[in-house]
Amino acid sequence: MGPRDSLTPTADQAHGARRGRWLVLAATFFWGTSATLARYMFRERHVPPLSVVELRLGVSVILLAPWLLWRRPQTLAVRREDWGYFAILSVFGVAAIQCTYYYSVASLGVGLAILIQYLAPSLIVLFDATRGVRIGPLMVVALAAALGGTALLVGNVNPTSIHARPLQWVISFSSAFFFAFYIVFSKRALRRYPPMTVLLYTFAIAGAVLTPVAPPWKILAAGYDRGTWIMFALLGVFSALVPFALFYAGLRHLRPAQAGILATLEPVVAVASSALVLGEGLVPLQWLGAGLVLTAATLASSQSEDPLPSPGPP
């Protein structure tokens, strides 16, 4: 087999890449639509965002742990040397993304917070370039379209952000770095363990880390009604457990940059969902932004980069 043949994706790798793209796209659908429910809870039920974060992590762990113990107990085993890795991914990935993103929402407004977080694909592409990964021109175009489209979609930056303190800007921009780190750093775990294993332990550790910030006993003492608890359960399943499982499964077959650009479809789904459910109509520039993000996702999906090794057994 010559050098050219070694860079040609096999039929299994091509099939895996297609499957990975659809899995990541499915994850963005759940993230985007569940964002509408979360916004409703913040606005109408006056639930603190960090309480929602803590509960959706908790609901996911409560549902996933018994199911794995019953159906796939072998997936619960983790090598001793990997616990440090899981701790880093949980704290500086899952937990850090949640905290910095919601801090950014509170400090700069929703629109700018989303735009800043979706700088992550640019950081991943730059990181790949420093490692000598070939970055094709279509990937650069896809990246530019994703950034421009996201900016148009979320628009209307909160004027109070102009007066934000330097520390608030630093923490807000760190959400993009943590998101990029989370996508890139997850690859190692997904080469060694099934997605559900990674999901269970990262969520459990992240939830434990966030407990001092949003103590469960204070959430229970808040006296939420039955309807609110049903919404908590729905968010736990459809904004955390299902989409993160889909994203992890898709990321096993894709390069981090591809997965990051595909994930920019989340604000498209969120804006469209808000328009349908909450009556927050789209302006022409938002439709243009949606078109650019869809174009970026199409271009990123069509890239035939160097083949990825098939994920090995856990």
Side-chain angles (χ1 to χ4, degrees), residues 1-9 306-307:
M1 180 180 293
R4 183 179 181 83
D5 294 332
S6 65
L7 296 179
T8 302
D306 295 350

Coordinates of all heavy atoms in Angstrom, one line a residue, residues 1-9 306-307:
M1 N 0.8 -1.2 0.0 CA 0.0 0.0 0.0 C 0.9 1.2 0.0 O 1.8 1.4 0.8 CB -0.9 0.0 1.2 CG -1.8 1.2 1.3 SD -2.9 1.2 2.8 CE -3.9 -0.2 2.3
G2 N 0.7 2.1 -0.9 CA 1.5 3.3 -1.0 C 1.0 4.4 -0.1 O 0.0 4.3 0.5
P3 N 1.8 5.6 0.0 CA 1.4 6.7 0.8 C 0.0 7.2 0.5 O -0.7 7.6 1.4 CB 2.5 7.7 0.6 CG 3.7 6.9 0.1 CD 3.1 5.8 -0.7
R4 N -0.3 7.3 -0.8 CA -1.6 7.9 -1.2 C -2.8 7.0 -0.7 O -3.8 7.5 -0.2 CB -1.7 8.0 -2.7 CG -3.0 8.7 -3.2 CD -3.0 8.9 -4.7 NE -4.2 9.5 -5.2 CZ -4.4 10.8 -5.2 NH1 -3.4 11.6 -4.7 NH2 -5.5 11.3 -5.6
D5 N -2.6 5.7 -0.8 CA -3.6 4.8 -0.4 C -3.8 4.9 1.1 O -4.9 4.7 1.6 CB -3.3 3.3 -0.7 CG -3.3 3.1 -2.2 OD1 -4.0 3.9 -2.9 OD2 -2.5 2.3 -2.7
S6 N -2.8 5.1 1.9 CA -2.9 5.2 3.3 C -3.7 6.4 3.8 O -4.2 6.4 4.9 CB -1.5 5.2 4.0 OG -0.8 6.4 3.7
L7 N -3.9 7.4 3.0 CA -4.6 8.6 3.3 C -6.1 8.5 2.8 O -6.8 9.4 3.0 CB -4.0 9.8 2.8 CG -2.6 10.2 3.4 CD1 -2.0 11.4 2.8 CD2 -2.7 10.3 4.9
T8 N -6.4 7.4 2.1 CA -7.7 7.3 1.5 C -8.6 6.6 2.6 O -8.4 5.5 3.0 CB -7.7 6.4 0.3 OG1 -6.8 7.0 -0.7 CG2 -9.1 6.4 -0.3
P9 N -9.7 7.3 2.9 CA -10.6 6.7 3.9 C -11.2 5.4 3.5 O -11.6 5.3 2.3 CB -11.7 7.8 4.1 CG -11.1 9.1 3.6 CD -10.1 8.7 2.5
D306 N -7.7 13.8 6.4 CA -7.0 12.5 6.7 C -7.9 11.6 7.5 O -8.6 12.1 8.5 CB -5.7 12.8 7.5 CG -4.8 13.6 6.6 OD1 -5.0 13.8 5.4 OD2 -3.8 14.0 7.2
P307 N -8.0 10.4 7.2 CA -8.9 9.5 8.0 C -8.6 9.4 9.4 O -7.4 9.3 9.8 CB -8.8 8.1 7.3 CG -7.5 8.2 6.6 CD -7.2 9.6 6.2

